[in-house]
Amino acid sequence: MTGMQAFLAERVITGERIIPAGAVLVQGERILAVGRAAELAMPAEAECCDLGDGILCPGLVDIHAHGGDGADCTDGTPEAVLTVARRHLRAGTTSLLPTTATAPLEEIWRAFDSIIAARAEQKSGDGARLLGIHSEGNWFAVAQRGAHAAELLTPATPEVQERLLSYAAHLARVTLAPELEGALNLIRALAAKGVLVSGGHSDALYAEVCRAMEAGMRHLTHLWSGMSVMRRIGPKRYSGMLEAGLIEEGLTGEIIADGYHLPSSLMKMAYRLKGPEKLCLVSDAMQASGLGPGEYGIGGLRVVVEPGYDVAMLADRTSFAGSISTMAQCLQHVVQEVGISLLDAVRMSTLTPARIIGRDDVGRIAPGAWADLVVLAPDTMAPRRVMIGGGWVNT
């Protein structure tokens, strides 16, 4: 798109505030201006589009998504990564971190190469904007492995760390258990290269989390899921990673808000303790997202999606194995079922995740940002229309 477009809506949510009777000016692929329609100078050459009662928001930002439409970002092909990106773009996610899962190391490196290739090959509008690699695994505590196969969990040896760090220019985020041997050195090295280090699938005690923060860890992966909580050692009680995440100012966090992984009470707790500036929503979607019931694989394990259940489970039903939701469904859930305000829910789905990974060009409606937008229905919060780079997506 090269022309100028003006979009009018009863409500514009920028990511930080609500503008009634608002307007957004788009020049080519970028946002030019935003404000009240009555106060914004409309260039005569602008093509106007009235979105009626639709709520105009930034495109949703998912910093933890594994798959969709039968593809997984660990499959090891650029086409699989782009299939995932296309599935989530149709559902209103305009930016995402393609996330790899625990696998044999050679498969992980191949998956990294495929994500890099997919980013290079991706044409404007061909799926959600790929913001970099999120590596989830293999450096986890066995006791908190969740849907990651125990036999594939490997130590971060100096050789492995060197190989991982060779991808630093493409890594946006790495999730690891900070209490494992060698983890603190790895955290320091990743943080020094600008990679977001996230604690997860961890059995760390509070003091170990604090040491990891001193080394550069800044975020926690899917609160409550795959992390230690308060436990008694002898006569004393010790806080775990969860408690550290909820009260430490230096940590941001994320929740899988699909209505299965966490009850509303825990989502409310995280929201009240962290606030919308430090807590974001993620889908943690796996390959069944967009497909529904059936049998699938993730991280070397067999998982199932049962009829009537919008979540994946291990075949033995002992653990969830990822969500099949989208960011839009998570946003709907926290507004309609958890009772979080629309403004804060949008912020937790756009601006906050973007800022957590250090991006200011997505997740907000502001001059200079990408013209990635979503129009929500005012009654259901479901996406009506999706735009990326100034062009509408065929959904």
Side-chain angles (χ1 to χ4, degrees):
M1 302 291 295
T2 57
M4 185 176 295
Q5 303 175 84
F7 300 99
L8 312 178
E10 287 188 6
R11 280 180 285 177
V12 173
I13 302 181
T14 67
E16 294 179 294
R17 63 191 178 111
I18 298 177
I19 302 174
V24 177
L25 287 179
V26 170
Q27 176 74 60
E29 295 185 316
R30 300 276 184 167
I31 294 168
L32 185 64
V34 59
R36 291 183 67 99
E39 300 169 357
L40 205 61
M42 294 289 185
E45 68 272 22
E47 178 185 345
C48 285
C49 176
D50 191 337
L51 301 171
D53 64 355
I55 304 167
L56 186 59
C57 305
L60 308 183
V61 179
D62 194 349
I63 62 171
H64 189 157
H66 292 275
D69 276 355
D72 190 290
C73 293
T74 317
D75 285 347
T77 67
E79 184 55 34
V81 178
L82 291 173
T83 296
V84 176
R86 293 172 190 132
R87 185 279 179 278
H88 288 281
L89 177 60
R90 293 197 310 272
T93 298
T94 55
S95 295
L96 64 78
L97 288 186
T99 303
T100 61
T102 296
L105 287 173
E106 287 309 311
E107 292 185 17
I108 289 180
W109 311 138
R110 185 162 58 248
F112 285 4
D113 291 337
S114 296
I115 293 170
I116 294 167
R119 294 184 74 192
E121 296 172 11
Q122 189 179 38
K123 297 178 175 60
S124 180
D126 185 21
R129 203 177 293 280
L130 301 172
L131 301 183
I133 300 167
H134 172 202
S135 172
E136 188 186 15
N138 296 357
W139 307 286
F140 296 153
V142 173
Q144 298 289 353
R145 66 188 182 278
H148 296 258
E151 65 273 15
L152 295 177
L153 299 180
T154 53
T157 63
E159 294 76 19
V160 170
Q161 292 192 27
E162 183 178 1
R163 184 69 181 273
L164 179 65
L165 288 165
S166 73
Y167 287 97
H170 306 281
L171 286 168
R173 174 181 174 192
V174 172
T175 293
L176 52 77
E179 74 277 15
L180 299 183
E181 184 177 354
L184 291 180
N185 286 336
L186 180 56
I187 292 170
R188 291 188 190 97
L190 288 166
K193 292 182 178 293
V195 179
L196 174 69
V197 182
S198 182
H201 293 283
S202 165
D203 222 19
L205 294 174
Y206 196 111
E208 292 171 311
V209 175
C210 290
R211 284 195 287 273
M213 291 174 63
E214 292 170 1
M217 188 176 78
R218 293 290 176 263
H219 185 70
L220 293 188
T221 298
H222 44 49
L223 293 173
W224 279 280
S225 300
M227 66 176 55
S228 55
V229 298
M230 184 279 295
R231 63 181 181 268
R232 179 176 283 169
I233 302 175
K236 293 182 66 176
R237 291 181 177 86
Y238 293 82
S239 296
M241 176 170 279
L242 173 66
E243 291 82 10
L246 291 175
I247 68 168
E248 283 292 335
E249 290 291 318
L251 288 172
T252 54
E254 66 190 41
I255 52 174
I256 307 170
D258 63 350
Y260 290 89
H261 281 77
L262 297 177
S264 293
S265 58
L266 295 187
M267 286 190 265
K268 286 179 183 177
M269 181 187 297
Y271 169 67
R272 290 177 182 176
L273 288 171
K274 300 303 293 182
E277 301 86 5
K278 293 187 176 181
L279 181 71
C280 73
L281 310 184
V282 297
S283 73
D284 197 10
M286 48 81 72
Q287 63 180 256
S289 179
L291 298 181
E295 187 172 305
Y296 303 90
I298 185 171
L301 299 174
R302 188 169 68 90
V303 303
V304 295
V305 176
E306 294 183 340
Y309 289 85
D310 292 329
V311 68
M313 295 178 283
L314 293 181
D316 62 7
R317 277 63 169 180
T318 59
S319 174
F320 290 133
S323 161
I324 66 171
S325 294
T326 63
M327 285 294 289
Q329 290 170 315
C330 292
L331 187 155
Q332 287 174 286
H333 185 79
V334 298
V335 171
Q336 297 174 344
E337 302 298 331
V338 183
I340 292 174
S341 72
L342 177 59
L343 175 59
D344 282 352
V346 168
R347 181 170 190 148
M348 293 160 65
S349 306
T350 58
L351 183 65
T352 297
R355 285 185 170 169
I356 285 172
I357 61 170
R359 298 291 293 249
D360 63 2
D361 57 341
V362 297
R364 63 190 189 126
I365 298 179
W370 289 107
D372 300 345
L373 306 170
V374 62
V375 183
L376 302 178
D379 50 351
T380 65
M381 304 299 125
R384 281 181 179 171
R385 302 183 75 179
V386 182
M387 170 181 286
I388 187 167
W392 293 114
V393 175
N394 294 322
T395 57

